[in-house]
Amino acid sequence: MRRPAGGGSRAFRRVALILALPLLVGLLYLGWQWSRKGSDQATTTVATAGSLIADVEREGISDARIVRAGNDLVIETYEAPETVAKRLQERLPGSKVTRGVAGDFVLSRPEEKGTVRVRRFTPADSGAGLEDSAAGLSVGGSGSVAIILDDAGFDLRAVSDLLGLGVTLNFAILPNAPHAGEAAELLRHQNAEILCHLPMEPVGFPSVSPGEGSVLTSMSGDEIQKAVRSAVEAVPGAVGVSNHMSSRATADRRVMTEVAAALPPGWYFIDSRTTADSLAGEIARGVGLRTAARDIFLDDTRTEDAIRAQLAALVRLAGEKGSAVGVGHLAPETLKVLREDLPLYQQRGTRFVRASDVVK
């Protein structure tokens, strides 16, 4: 009997389809497993992206300011950034250190997205560019100079070093610094004058953050006063306040009125003058607070020559005005200049005084 034309080819196709179907199913299954594996790997990457950052935070870096920046962590330190980065690398398996583009050092792990950037501490929102009162002054006679060293509470060794000079200095302790309480205790034992360096909202917030417990312009009056009282309590022995960052907050009349109302009786306010629009002094005087304003920043330019020139300008200004206020930081370059120059100025008749002696 003859088969219908084309019957063989149809039968062959049916057999081929039957044989191919398990193979197709197998390929689809393998593809699904592969995609699932890739998804799991992606999930694992996301889940562990912050583990380097978590490890660094658990290390409890001292003498540094740590700031979150998206998926990254920024460590600002008075030490050499390379030294800090390599010390972390030794403690954290699988991490590597590379040099950044701005003199910083980047700590990373190949399988993670988050990085840790270590850089030299710079006083953000310090009012760089504002005209200093010393411009154009000639050399004057002796005067009273109040030097306030901001951001104490990170490097206790630097504080101890300066106390050994035998020169009157003032230390503004950040209440949210890791060693705020220890710094206050050390300074109290040495009878040094302590200020609470009140963190306040700068222009650029929240990208630029003054840290936890800061006074923000979005706060209610009660919240501002509570933040001020908490900061004051974190710095035992303080007798006055200066403002940290703060270029937005000190220009806000409502905010500064609440800040002034929250300060303990008898305290004073030193305006770091991080903005030309600051109302801090005006409002302090209006409510009967003693106050003064920063005349010269010592270390906006972080070189020994520049700091030495600013210190000389501060001394000249004190000779002209009778008194002057300088603000600096516990950076290595600043410390070196102060250690070398302050005893010499003191020998020549410059009086280094407490901040409470220059407020009015």
Side-chain angles (χ1 to χ4, degrees), residues 49-50 52-53 56 67-75 96 98 105-109 112-118:
L52 174 64
I53 291 174
V56 169
V67 183
R68 281 273 189 176
N71 287 330
D72 298 328
L73 199 70
V74 177
I75 297 176
K96 65 175 184 177
T98 55
F105 287 81
V106 181
L107 195 71
S108 62
R109 283 186 180 138
E112 296 181 10
K113 293 182 180 179
T115 64
V116 176
R117 191 173 297 275
V118 185

Side-chain angles (χ1 to χ4, degrees), residues 284-337:
R285 287 189 294 273
V287 298
L289 279 177
R290 293 177 298 152
T291 187
R294 182 274 306 169
D295 291 296
I296 289 178
F297 275 120
L298 297 177
D299 50 13
D300 265 340
T301 301
R302 194 65 62 77
T303 66
E304 290 179 29
D305 286 345
I307 296 166
R308 188 161 276 117
Q310 288 294 87
L311 179 58
L314 179 65
V315 171
R316 288 197 301 271
L317 179 60
E320 292 287 331
K321 290 175 53 180
S323 66
V325 177
V327 172
H329 300 81
L330 297 171
E333 298 86 351
T334 308
L335 294 174
K336 187 172 187 296
V337 171

Side-chain angles (χ1 to χ4, degrees), residues 23-37:
L23 180 61
L24 179 62
V25 171
L27 290 171
L28 289 173
Y29 177 76
L30 288 173
W32 175 72
Q33 287 282 15
W34 182 261
S35 66
R36 182 181 177 185
K37 182 180 179 182

